[in-house]
Amino acid sequence: MDPLTLDTLRTLAQSLGLALSDEELDGLLPLVRTGRAMMAALPSEALRDIEPACQYRLF
Amino acid sequence: MSDLVWTSLTDLARAIAARDVSPVEVVQAHLDRIAALDGKLKAYLTVMADAALERAKAAEAAVMSGEPLGRLHGVPVGFKDLYCTKGVKTTGGSHILADWVPDEDATVVSRLAGAGAIALGKLNMHEFAFGPEGLNPHYGTPWNPWDPNTHRICGGSSSGSGAAVAAGLCPGALGSDTGGSVRIPSALCGISGIKPTYGRVSRAGVLPLAWSLDHVGPMCRTAADCALMLGAMAGYDPRDPTTSVLPVPDYTAALTGQVKGLRVGVLRSFFLESTGVALRHAVEEAVKGLEGLGATIQDVNLETANFAPAASYAVLSSEAYAYHEAWLRERPADYGDDVRQRLRVGAFISAAEYLKGQQARALIRREVDGALAKADVLVCATTPIVATAVGQGEVTVEHEKLAVRASLIRFTRPFNLTGHPAASIPCGFTAAGLPVGLQIIGRPFDEATVLRVADAYQRATDWHTRRPPVDQPRPVAPEGRPA
């Protein structure tokens, strides 16, 4: 996966209707990059047949 | 009773019922202590002095007239300031809700009042519960009572609850726990706290951080006090559709002091490897202590714990953003910088990523369930580090630089994702006099066993009886000025 750039993040923010300054986007960029890297590192094969844990009530 | 502010919640309830002490004396002693110490500690955001004294007088009258008494009759407690309290400001530690006054109580507030508890006030916290340090830029960050000289974090987000209980400003408090917010301040402040199973205690009337991860839990100085408080507030609530219909056991009766034959799984890889020497030693000694009490010890690995940061990023960030989206658009400047920035991250998470996080969550839950099929409880350090100075972003552990925020939640958040009950109790101190927490994890809805292990350990040790140096006068320099 290509690393997220400031320009891409700005475009994403605009598409969500968020008017963020360059300074704000600069602060967000490493956090979103880290999050995406963690998601990308999850083992896709192991997760493929796992039902998402969306059932709240255990009993 | 000689020292009311250091008397346990259990003993206070017993003494009040026996007419050995008046609820008015108990409440007044705590109010006096808050007045003396809270200017520095900043544990309370609102002190309900008049209302508390009024209720204490009514409680005293009930005792004297022989009325049936609740199990917490006349005992003062504090509430993290995200519990709705009818007619009393509930800020969530935020500027956004600085003047918000709810028109009804959270279910747990009502239940504790129904059991006779008296609300002393509302407790400081990390803004909107979104931070494990317990910082607060709007009202001031609570001061960890264990270091009178350096302003150290209490851990969060229930930082005021941790400071207040540790310093004797209330015998018990409510915290809430989305990634460790009951257990982290319990560990860093040297007290006991439990995050019950998801669904065991109602979240109705509690400001959410992330609906599927939020847990309500008590913080006290002993496991026995946590048992008493939990018993008074647990159980099905029609106002919270996620609460379980399972009956609530008598947690206090479960405290037999016996752990003989109990199987204790020690989480070593992941949970002990990145922990400092002093903490690891304290936890290993606690394990030996449990073994000495008759428990059988086995090593357990949780490989999927490594997935917890990703799952938490996807799930917690998305849910928190969904709750805050409108305020973030309309009033961004009213948030503290750190919370605003981390909340905004949730805007960039896709639905597919959210569900992938939920898949990872299911995998972790499956592995924890498997481990608890072979062991009755699991144990590990609550946090890999002790209380750091306010503003310190990194800490060095065994020559490795670690981010304070990520380290604090490393061992606790897996069990928010899985929903298992998990407690933290004190199990030692560093050479600098800072407390270390032992985390005890149990099977779903088996808080009784978690509390039994915690209580048995506390019967055999004295870590939980130590008091922070908040009452000691400041040292005086030779020339007569305060040092």
Side-chain angles (χ1 to χ4, degrees):
Chain A
M1 187 195 293
D2 289 338
L4 187 70
T5 65
L6 192 64
D7 283 342
T8 313
L9 190 68
R10 185 183 295 109
T11 305
L12 276 171
Q14 285 166 350
S15 74
L16 292 164
L18 296 172
L20 303 180
S21 67
D22 279 358
E23 192 186 346
E24 288 171 322
L25 289 166
D26 261 337
L28 275 173
L29 185 62
L31 300 179
V32 180
R33 266 187 186 158
T34 302
R36 288 186 164 204
M38 288 192 301
M39 294 305 293
L42 285 175
S44 299
E45 282 302 312
L47 293 180
R48 189 178 306 280
D49 296 324
I50 301 291
E51 186 97 4
C54 48
Q55 171 63 279
Y56 278 16
R57 190 189 295 243
L58 296 171
F59 293 99
Chain B
M1 300 179 79
S2 60
D3 212 346
L4 292 176
V5 297
W6 291 115
T7 304
S8 75
L9 189 139
T10 303
D11 286 343
L12 283 175
R14 200 176 289 140
I16 289 168
R19 302 185 187 185
D20 290 338
V21 65
S22 155
V24 179
E25 287 174 72
V26 175
V27 166
Q28 189 62 59
H30 284 89
L31 290 174
D32 291 346
R33 191 164 176 81
I34 292 167
L37 296 179
D38 206 42
K40 176 174 178 176
L41 293 176
K42 292 186 167 52
Y44 281 85
L45 295 182
T46 301
V47 180
M48 299 158 61
D50 292 344
L53 281 171
E54 199 174 304
R55 279 214 62 201
K57 286 174 191 164
E60 183 184 71
V63 173
M64 298 315 288
S65 64
E67 289 177 27
L69 308 178
R71 64 184 106 178
L72 295 171
H73 188 86
V75 176
V77 296
F79 295 112
K80 183 178 183 179
D81 205 20
L82 50 54
Y83 288 90
C84 288
T85 39
K86 186 179 178 181
V88 178
K89 224 167 38 169
T90 299
T91 68
S94 74
H95 184 60
I96 300 257
L97 294 176
D99 300 313
W100 183 53
V101 179
D103 54 15
E104 62 179 348
D105 284 333
T107 294
V108 285
V109 170
S110 302
R111 286 187 179 176
L112 289 173
I118 295 173
L120 271 184
K122 307 295 292 291
L123 294 159
N124 204 347
M125 56 184 285
H126 206 110
E127 183 180 14
F128 284 121
F130 201 12
E133 305 98 324
L135 311 174
N136 195 300
H138 308 295
Y139 305 105
T141 294
W143 188 300
N144 191 311
W146 288 96
D147 188 343
N149 301 314
T150 302
H151 190 182
R152 289 182 185 274
I153 59 170
C154 293
S157 61
S158 312
S159 44
S161 305
V165 173
L169 306 189
C170 62
L174 282 190
S176 66
D177 193 317
T178 306
S181 294
V182 161
R183 292 161 288 160
I184 295 165
S186 293
L188 269 53
C189 291
I191 61 169
S192 309
I194 182 166
K195 174 197 83 67
T197 312
Y198 189 86
R200 179 76 291 181
V201 180
S202 170
R203 296 168 299 110
V206 186
L207 292 175
L209 172 57
W211 298 280
S212 75
L213 298 165
D214 293 343
H215 299 67
V216 166
M219 298 166 70
C220 304
R221 287 190 289 271
T222 69
D225 286 357
C226 288
L228 184 61
M229 222 169 145
L230 180 61
M233 63 193 201
Y236 175 71
D237 175 17
R239 291 173 66 197
D240 179 353
T242 69
T243 48
S244 170
V245 294
L246 283 178
V248 178
D250 183 339
Y251 297 117
T252 300
L255 307 180
T256 59
Q258 299 297 318
V259 293
K260 194 170 168 96
L262 209 75
R263 296 167 302 170
V264 174
V266 183
L267 296 168
R268 291 192 196 277
S269 68
F270 182 83
F271 289 91
L272 279 180
E273 280 165 5
S274 56
T275 306
V277 174
L279 277 85
R280 206 160 51 228
H281 177 73
V283 172
E284 296 288 6
E285 287 299 307
V287 170
K288 281 184 201 164
L290 291 172
E291 191 171 24
L293 293 172
T296 59
I297 308 297
Q298 53 189 276
D299 280 8
V300 173
N301 286 333
L302 291 180
E303 304 289 343
T304 59
N306 285 310
F307 306 157
S312 184
Y313 161 78
V315 176
L316 195 160
S317 303
S318 300
E319 294 186 15
Y321 182 76
Y323 179 73
H324 284 276
E325 184 177 11
W327 283 331
L328 281 167
R329 287 178 189 276
E330 293 158 14
R331 304 176 60 182
D334 287 340
Y335 285 91
D337 291 342
D338 74 318
V339 168
R340 180 180 57 246
Q341 191 174 53
R342 281 182 293 121
L343 282 172
R344 277 178 171 159
V345 169
F348 300 96
I349 296 168
S350 69
E353 284 177 316
Y354 179 80
L355 286 168
K356 200 171 171 185
Q358 293 282 41
Q359 286 179 296
R361 184 179 185 176
L363 213 55
I364 302 167
R365 184 187 291 174
R366 183 188 291 181
E367 192 181 21
V368 176
D369 281 339
L372 283 164
K374 296 174 192 157
D376 297 298
V377 294
L378 306 174
V379 300
C380 61
T382 306
T383 57
I385 59 174
V386 292
T388 54
V390 171
Q392 185 179 341
E394 286 185 334
V395 63
T396 303
V397 174
E398 314 240 308
H399 310 295
E400 189 186 355
K401 276 195 174 172
L402 303 172
V404 168
R405 179 171 292 153
S407 294
L408 286 171
I409 55 177
R410 181 174 164 86
F411 299 161
T412 50
R413 79 176 148 195
F415 309 107
N416 292 83
L417 291 160
T418 67
H420 291 80
S424 179
I425 56 170
C427 70
F429 287 81
T430 64
L434 298 171
V436 177
L438 175 74
Q439 186 173 208
I440 306 168
I441 303 107
R443 297 179 184 131
F445 297 97
D446 192 14
E447 288 80 7
T449 300
V450 172
L451 290 164
R452 176 158 62 98
V453 173
D455 172 68
Y457 179 77
Q458 291 188 330
R459 291 187 195 203
T461 58
D462 68 355
W463 305 117
H464 61 291
T465 65
R466 301 198 182 184
R467 298 177 187 175
V470 283
D471 293 310
Q472 293 168 7
R474 293 180 66 193
V476 176
E479 61 271 34
R481 295 195 307 270

